[in-house]
Amino acid sequence: MATDKPVTPTEEQLEILEYNFCKVNKHPDPATLCLIAAETGLSEEQTLKWFKQRLAEWRKSEGLPSESGSVRD
């Protein structure tokens, strides 16, 4: 089984992920990531991957380089 398969969250999972991304933290720490993963039912790896992809999209929409390093990376 391939672990790098793209994550396709359900509508409900997306709502939780988006809420956390927009309202809580774009860079969740490991403990927060674990809680979000538990809440969505996704693995921590899938949750982290979603946040990374979403952050790249957000940076692009803000006119920032998608992979720019930050103090939190």
Side-chain angles (χ1 to χ4, degrees), residues 4-48:
D4 56 357
K5 189 176 176 224
V7 183
T8 310
T10 65
E11 202 67 35
E12 193 177 317
Q13 289 169 326
L14 268 177
E15 281 181 28
I16 296 166
L17 291 165
E18 280 291 339
Y19 172 82
N20 281 283
F21 183 83
C22 297
K23 303 273 193 260
V24 181
N25 194 342
K26 289 176 177 52
H27 302 271
D29 59 57
T32 306
L33 194 68
C34 182
L35 291 171
I36 297 168
E39 191 179 352
T40 59
L42 297 169
S43 71
E44 286 181 54
E45 190 179 305
Q46 290 171 314
T47 306
L48 181 61

